[in-house]
Amino acid sequence: MAVLFSIGGWSFGRLSVGMAPLVLAYAAIPHTLDGYASAPIWWAGTIAATLWFLFQVVFSVRQLRAVRTLAKRSSTGLTAEVGPAASAALRSIARESIFWATGLSIAATIAGIATFGVLSTELGHTYEELEGGSFSDYLATAAAILSILAIIQWVRCGWRAIARTVVGNLLWQVSPGLGPVEGLLSPKEHDAGMLPFAHAQATPGCTCIEEFFRSDPSEDEEFLEGDGVLAAAYCPAHGIDQVNSLTPEQFRSKAITTWFWDENSAEPISENLEADRCLLIGFAGHSFTGLPAQFKNGQAETNPGPGELADERVPGTGAWSWEPPKPPLGGILDRIDLRPVGLGGQAIRYSHGRAWFETGNQNHELDRR
């Protein structure tokens, strides 16, 4: 079992930290009872794994306290109703954890009873009479594995319950691409650089549709009717010159217009509209990473999908994180502060391209460049 754990233990993630002392102790005890010289090595491994587990427990407690402190400081005192799908997803996650813990406990009990039953029939027989092996050994190993998994699963259920109780069932507003979890996308559909097909068709002098088919003659018009058309750079009605000809006041008043923006740019997110906010329901640290959600009809509701917990971001690596495209380094025409119209950032217009939207936390970095 120790060999199997050393090969595949990584697949259990954080749970393997708690499983390791139990696996090593399970090997150390019989080595001690049988008087093997390797017993001290197994106990040394058990002690080392236990110390590492305790260190992780301390780290988890510190993280939980930090999240609780942040929750108190960030609390607005406002309440919001959690939608039916989000509520069902939260209940489903809790039930699934308890189901696994209960199922593993029952399976471990059955395997333990079977072990003693088979062992009673094998006692008193020689190795040769047992035809080279004891079936109760295999049952005992299975019972031990199931017991360890059940213990760890119950610990996980308990720690999740404690974490959620300490922090509370809060709605966290997290900017897309930032924060402790991955996979949080803006509730707004990314349509930067696009304009509706019907709008392009009805606008006098617009050449966006013709330019699109000139570059891709094989494309189907029905596709454009559903998804829209990319604004052409030199279109008399929607080109770069039209974006840059607007006064800052005119640009601000129409800043949510999709074709103003470079197709690789983020789109402005309103600081006032709830529908534009990216939410996490019930975040309580790595023990419960929360459900990605957004406001729908005045309720905090999960995004379409199975309602699974958000993926924890690995600090300092970013190996699997998507790196958003960066704006051009030169050719800046001007910068337009969009905060007066409730958009959290600024527009950067370029002489050779469409505008880029930069959030408030990106502005400082851009200014330093």
Side-chain angles (χ1 to χ4, degrees), residues 103-117 139 142-143 146-147:
L104 289 169
S105 299
I106 294 174
T109 302
I110 294 174
I113 294 173
T115 299
F116 285 106
L139 288 175
L146 292 170
S147 298

Side-chain angles (χ1 to χ4, degrees), residues 68-69 140 148 162 180 186 236 240 247 250 329 332 346:
R68 182 171 182 265
T69 300
I148 291 173
I162 293 172
S186 169
I240 297 170
T247 66
Q250 290 173 328
L329 297 177
I332 295 177
Q346 67 174 347

Side-chain angles (χ1 to χ4, degrees), residues 141-154:
T141 301
I145 292 174
L146 292 170
S147 298
I148 291 173
L149 290 174
I151 291 171
I152 292 301
Q153 186 63 29
W154 280 116

Side-chain angles (χ1 to χ4, degrees), residues 188-196 229 231 254-263 267-268 354-355:
K188 297 182 66 174
E189 183 178 358
H190 185 78
D191 287 328
M194 304 292 290
L195 69 155
V229 61
K254 302 177 181 180
I256 59 173
T257 304
T258 55
W259 61 267
F260 281 10
W261 306 97
D262 187 282
E263 60 180 314
E267 290 184 67
R354 297 184 184 275

